[in-house]
């Protein structure tokens, strides 16, 4: 009998497979997967979360994977349960709206850490307006902290501001490296995102551009960032800050969501195109 070929994980594309069944159980329970749910999973790996999701009474499970070497194992899982459909491709560039038979209601996944930020923007741009209201995502702890950081925290980010403006985010469990194989060199966390409002906000180019330029250089004040990135003269920048009750030395991380909504209405920041371009995607 031929010896089974050993699978070599490609950690360059985030192949740190979850191996802790208790984490899977926690995720299924936390997400309250039930009848009628259409769940999207990204990067199923060897299928531990895929099998866990199929143990729940969901309506359908769509899983997107890049690495064709995993085809045999994933297709074996799908063959046993007609609710599971596999799609192959790059999760960031995948055309979810045209290729998925139905619009997902929830996204539950162990995300490849190197694409966490652009992938989350893709979800917010494409899938949230189409109906996704809930996400439970395994990400690097550092990324999770940037997503949930409130105003005034140094880890505040454009992505975190946008998620807060659309709903709420919470770290619901920290996960040690030992829960994965091979073990990553970082700690991980499960971040839960609930979308409750402003479903098209991530596609508002003015909003995206304002945040990108305001956070461009974190150590600089808003007035300096605006002068450099928006072409606004310093005197005008200071005038805008004063009008909105902000100090001349205010930095982007200090602002609450309501202030960002106020600033997005200032004509100086307005961009005619509503849809954010690729270069408006910001680091979390």
């Amino acid at each position: 009998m031929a010896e089974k070929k050993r699978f070599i994980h490609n950690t360059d594309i985030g192949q740190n497979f979850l191996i802790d069944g208790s984490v899977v159980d926690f995720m299924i329970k936390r997400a309250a997967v039930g009848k009628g749910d259409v769940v999207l999973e990204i990067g199923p790996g060897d299928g531990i979360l895929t099998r866990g999701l199929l143990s729940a009474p969901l309506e359908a499970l769509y899983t997107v994977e890049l690495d064709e070497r995993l085809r045999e194992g994933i297709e074996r899982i799908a063959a046993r349960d007609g609710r599971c459909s596999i799609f192959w491709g790059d999760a960031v560039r995948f055309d979810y709206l045209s290729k998925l038979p139905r619009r997902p209601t929830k996204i539950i996944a162990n995300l490849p850490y190197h694409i966490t930020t652009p992938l989350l923007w893709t979800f917010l741009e494409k899938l949230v307006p189409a109906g996704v209201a809930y996400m439970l995502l395994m990400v690097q702890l550092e990324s999770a902290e940037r997503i949930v950081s409130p105003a005034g925290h140094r880890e505040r980010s454009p992505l975190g501001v946008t998620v807060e403006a659309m709903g709420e985010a919470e770290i619901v469990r920290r996960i040690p490296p030992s829960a994965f194989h091979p073990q990553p060199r970082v700690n991980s966390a499960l971040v839960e995102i609930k979308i409750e409002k402003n479903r098209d906000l991530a596609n508002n180019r003015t909003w995206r551009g304002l945040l990108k330029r305001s956070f461009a250089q974190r150590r600089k004040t808003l007035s300096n960032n605006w002068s450099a990135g928006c072409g606004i003269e310093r005197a005008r920048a200071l005038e805008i800050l004063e009008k909105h009750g902000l100090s001349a030395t205010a930095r982007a991380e200090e602002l609450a969501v309501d202030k960002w909504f106020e600033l997005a209405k200032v004509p100086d920041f307005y961009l005619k195109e509503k849809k954010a371009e690729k270069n408006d995607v910001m680091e979390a």
Side-chain angles (χ1 to χ4, degrees):
M1 185 176 182
E3 183 179 351
K4 185 177 180 180
K5 187 175 180 181
R6 178 172 172 267
F7 183 83
I8 299 175
H9 297 76
N10 184 351
T11 54
D12 288 342
I13 60 171
Q15 285 186 336
N16 301 96
F17 294 166
L18 184 63
I19 59 173
D20 189 334
S22 69
V23 175
V24 173
D25 293 342
F26 177 89
M27 293 175 72
I28 304 305
K29 183 176 181 180
R30 180 77 192 192
V33 179
K35 294 180 179 179
D37 276 329
V38 177
V39 176
L40 172 65
E41 181 192 16
I42 303 296
D46 60 1
I48 186 173
L49 179 58
T50 310
R51 290 188 291 271
L53 287 166
L54 290 171
S55 71
L58 49 73
E59 186 74 18
L61 172 63
Y62 303 142
T63 185
V64 178
E65 175 57 58
L66 176 64
D67 192 344
E68 294 270 357
R69 297 179 302 159
L70 297 165
R71 179 179 290 276
E72 182 180 350
I74 301 172
E75 289 187 343
R76 188 182 302 116
I77 294 172
R80 295 171 180 164
D81 195 316
R83 296 174 298 165
C84 181
S85 300
I86 309 163
F87 300 86
W88 299 92
D90 183 333
V92 175
R93 296 177 176 82
F94 188 80
D95 189 350
Y96 296 94
L97 299 185
S98 68
K99 292 187 176 181
L100 298 185
R102 295 172 58 184
R103 302 294 168 85
T105 58
K106 295 178 178 179
I107 303 173
I108 304 171
N110 173 24
L111 297 185
Y113 291 177
H114 70 298
I115 59 169
T116 293
T117 297
L119 190 52
L120 265 172
W121 279 117
T122 295
F123 294 161
L124 295 178
E125 293 168 6
K126 307 295 183 184
L127 292 174
V128 165
V132 167
Y134 180 89
M135 305 180 209
L136 183 62
L137 308 172
M138 181 82 74
V139 300
Q140 185 176 335
L141 178 59
E142 183 178 325
S143 295
E145 289 173 341
R146 288 198 292 266
I147 294 167
V148 306
S149 289
H153 195 282
R154 68 176 185 173
E155 296 297 329
R156 186 77 156 165
S157 70
L159 181 57
V161 172
T162 303
V163 168
E164 183 182 348
M166 299 174 74
E168 60 182 76
E170 177 187 1
I171 293 176
V172 295
R173 181 166 172 172
R174 286 168 169 76
I175 311 296
S178 59
F180 304 88
H181 177 74
Q183 293 190 21
R185 297 179 180 179
V186 296
N187 289 313
S188 305
L190 282 169
V191 61
E192 183 178 62
I193 299 173
K194 297 178 181 179
I195 304 298
E196 301 165 341
K197 53 194 174 183
N198 302 317
R199 287 183 167 271
D200 290 310
L201 186 61
N203 289 301
N204 184 310
R205 192 177 172 213
T206 295
W207 174 269
R208 296 281 294 273
L210 171 61
L211 287 174
K212 177 184 178 180
R213 290 159 181 82
S214 298
F215 278 90
Q217 297 188 54
R218 291 175 175 272
R219 293 186 178 182
K220 286 192 174 184
T221 62
L222 284 170
S223 60
N224 285 335
N225 276 328
W226 293 345
S227 296
C230 303
I232 298 174
E233 293 184 1
R234 181 171 173 76
R236 173 56 180 158
L238 293 174
E239 180 184 341
I240 294 171
L241 290 169
E242 182 179 5
K243 183 177 180 180
H244 291 274
L246 298 168
S247 75
T249 59
R251 289 177 169 78
E253 66 193 42
E254 301 171 14
L255 273 61
V257 166
D258 61 342
K259 288 297 179 184
W260 288 115
F261 277 115
E262 289 180 19
L263 291 172
K265 295 177 182 178
V266 175
D268 302 70
F269 301 121
Y270 182 68
L271 297 173
K272 290 183 180 180
E273 296 87 352
K274 292 183 179 180
K275 187 174 182 180
E277 295 179 342
K278 288 183 179 180
N279 61 6
D280 278 326
V281 174
M282 300 146 286
E283 293 184 0

